[in-house]
Amino acid sequence: MDRHRLSWRLASVLVPAAVIAAAQTPASAADPAPAPACVAQVLTFAPGYQVVVNVRNTTAVPVTGWHLTFQLASTATIASSFGGTIARSGSSGTITPAVYFTTIQPGGQANVGFGGSAVPFTPPTGFTLNGAPCAASGW
């Protein structure tokens, strides 16, 4: 077998092996993991506000252990809540979902929120889902 034919045969075996190896390489640590999404809507009617946060499971697996955090003026009050329990420490708040929202199935969603007021008027801001920012949306 001449040298040219041997080179061609080796290339035809090695190139597909390299392509297969590249296709089987696991995702790098820099690739973001799928995560649920959230949208925070704040309806204002000074000095009051109503907050609704929609949490959607856009992943292929159930989402559990989630919570929302937000910033709230220290003079603000929370008069009512739904879909979860609110804990507050100074100007920070956390919403832990009610038992019926603790697990969100793939494609599912949960709505949680609260209403209150603040004088001077300052509506809640900075909503995050497990540390990732929520999109803001008006009504």
Side-chain angles (χ1 to χ4, degrees):
M1 184 177 293
D2 70 26
R3 189 175 184 162
H4 177 69
R5 283 187 180 161
L6 181 59
S7 296
W8 184 83
R9 285 189 180 187
L10 283 174
S12 68
V13 170
L14 295 177
V15 171
V19 171
I20 291 169
Q24 293 176 344
T25 303
S28 71
D31 291 340
C38 59
V39 176
Q41 299 175 324
V42 180
L43 174 64
T44 61
F45 44 94
Y49 55 82
Q50 180 70 37
V51 175
V52 177
V53 182
N54 177 266
V55 179
R56 289 190 181 142
N57 183 356
T58 57
T59 74
V61 297
V63 171
T64 61
W66 62 274
H67 67 278
L68 295 162
T69 58
F70 58 93
Q71 298 302 307
L72 187 66
S74 60
T75 59
T77 61
I78 296 175
S80 62
S81 65
F82 60 91
T85 304
I86 297 179
R88 184 173 174 178
S89 177
S91 61
S92 296
T94 302
I95 301 174
T96 304
V99 65
Y100 49 87
F101 281 147
T102 56
T103 299
I104 305 174
Q105 296 300 324
Q109 63 182 348
N111 289 311
V112 298
F114 58 94
S117 62
V119 177
F121 183 64
T122 309
T125 60
F127 292 88
T128 65
L129 172 63
N130 294 344
C134 295
S137 176
W139 288 69

